[in-house]
C-alpha cells in the first residue's frame, strides 16, 4: 500500500500526505506500533471516540508523529487539535460545515464524504480534501455498499477537488485506485501490525 500511496503522491499536484492511517479503538489497538511502520510523510487520524484519556494519548501520538516524520490529525475534535497543536483535523460528514472556520487556523482539514453532494459541500466549506468511502467491501461497521473504482473515478472528476479513498483498501486493492484520480489512500486495519 505504501508503494501505491507514494505513486499517487508523486504524480499529483497535491503536496499533502498520500497515505492516511485511521485509528479505531477496536480494530487498531496498538496505534504506536502501526505508526512506527508508516512511511515518512504519511498521516495518522487519531479518533478517540470520547475516550477519557484522549488528550494525553493525542499528545504522546504527536511526539511520535513528529519523531517519525508523520502528520497527526485529530478526528472530530478541532478544539483538541488546536490545543495540542496537531497538524490537522478530520471531520465526519455530519460536521463538515465546521471546516469553514478551521483552515485559516493553520490546520489541514479533511472530511468524510459518502456521496458526491457531500464531497462538493465539504470542499465548498473549505475542507482541504475529502475522504470518500466505502470503495471496496469493508469490515467497518459503518461502511456502506462499496462504490468500486469506476464510480470512484467519476466522483473524483465531478468533485473537482482532492479525494482520498477509504474502505477495503489494502495491499491487493490499492493498485486498482491508481487510475481513479485520488490524491491518496486511507485505511484502518490494513495498516495495523
Amino acid at each position: 500500500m505504501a508503494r501505491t500511496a507514494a505513486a499517487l503522491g508523486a504524480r499529483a499536484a497535491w503536496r499533502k500526505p498520500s497515505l492516511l492511517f485511521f485509528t479505531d479503538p477496536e480494530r487498531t489497538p496498538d496505534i504506536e506500533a502501526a505508526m512506527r511502520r508508516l512511511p515518512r510523510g504519511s498521516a495518522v487520524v487519531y479518533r478517540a471516540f470520547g475516550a477519557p484519556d484522549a488528550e494525553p494519548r493525542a499528545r504522546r501520538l504527536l511526539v511520535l508523529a513528529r519523531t517519525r516524520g508523520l502528520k497527526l490529525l485529530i478526528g472530530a475534535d478541532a478544539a483538541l487539535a488546536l490545543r495540542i497543536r496537531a497538524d490537522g483535523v478530520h471531520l465526519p460528514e455530519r460536521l463538515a460545515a465546521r471546516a469553514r472556520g478551521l483552515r485559516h487556523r493553520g490546520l489541514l482539514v479533511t472530511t468524510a464524504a459518502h456521496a458526491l453532494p457531500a464531497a462538493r459541500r465539504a470542499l465548498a466549506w473549505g475542507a482541504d480534501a475529502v475522504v470518500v468511502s466505502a470503495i471496496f467491501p469493508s469490515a467497518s461497521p459503518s461502511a456502506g455498499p462499496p462504490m468500486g473504482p469506476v464510480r470512484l473515478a467519476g466522483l473524483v472528476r465531478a468533485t473537482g477537488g482532492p479525494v482520498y479513498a477509504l474502505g477495503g483498501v489494502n495491499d491487493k486493492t490499492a493498485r486498482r485506485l491508481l487510475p481513479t484520480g485520488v490524491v491518496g489512500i486511507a485505511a484502518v486495519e490494513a495498516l495495523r501490525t
Side-chain angles (χ1 to χ4, degrees):
M1 270 188 27
R3 186 172 291 146
T4 302
L8 291 168
R11 69 177 189 192
W14 178 250
R15 295 293 171 225
K16 308 285 187 213
S18 57
L19 181 61
L20 302 180
F21 165 50
F22 278 78
T23 70
D24 181 280
E26 298 297 318
R27 298 185 301 152
T28 59
D30 195 346
I31 299 169
E32 292 85 352
M35 289 175 68
R36 288 185 191 95
R37 294 180 53 218
L38 292 174
R40 292 182 75 76
S42 299
V44 176
V45 179
Y46 172 56
R47 301 182 299 168
F49 294 112
D53 67 339
E55 185 163 339
R57 181 115 195 241
R59 288 183 184 282
R60 288 192 306 274
L61 295 176
L62 183 61
V63 170
L64 179 57
R66 297 271 158 80
T67 301
R68 298 271 309 126
L70 307 172
K71 302 283 186 199
L72 180 68
L73 283 67
I74 304 297
D77 192 342
L80 175 58
L82 290 165
R83 245 186 347 268
I84 72 165
R85 298 184 184 192
D87 300 293
V89 64
H90 174 77
L91 301 170
E93 188 175 298
R94 72 183 187 286
L95 301 178
R98 294 184 183 175
R100 288 182 189 152
L102 295 174
R103 276 187 67 190
H104 74 280
R105 308 278 312 256
L107 295 172
L108 172 63
V109 180
T110 63
T111 67
H114 302 286
L116 179 59
R120 284 183 171 160
R121 276 192 307 271
L123 293 169
W125 286 329
D128 291 295
V130 293
V131 180
V132 175
S133 68
I135 310 308
F136 302 107
S138 170
S140 171
S142 63
M147 69 176 64
V150 173
R151 281 186 47 217
L152 173 63
L155 184 144
V156 170
R157 282 190 303 277
T159 297
V163 174
Y164 287 91
L166 172 68
V169 178
N170 58 41
D171 285 329
K172 293 179 182 175
T173 61
R175 286 184 291 273
R176 293 177 56 199
L177 298 170
L178 285 170
T180 64
V182 295
V183 296
I185 54 180
V188 179
E189 293 179 76
L191 297 172
R192 71 180 179 186
T193 56

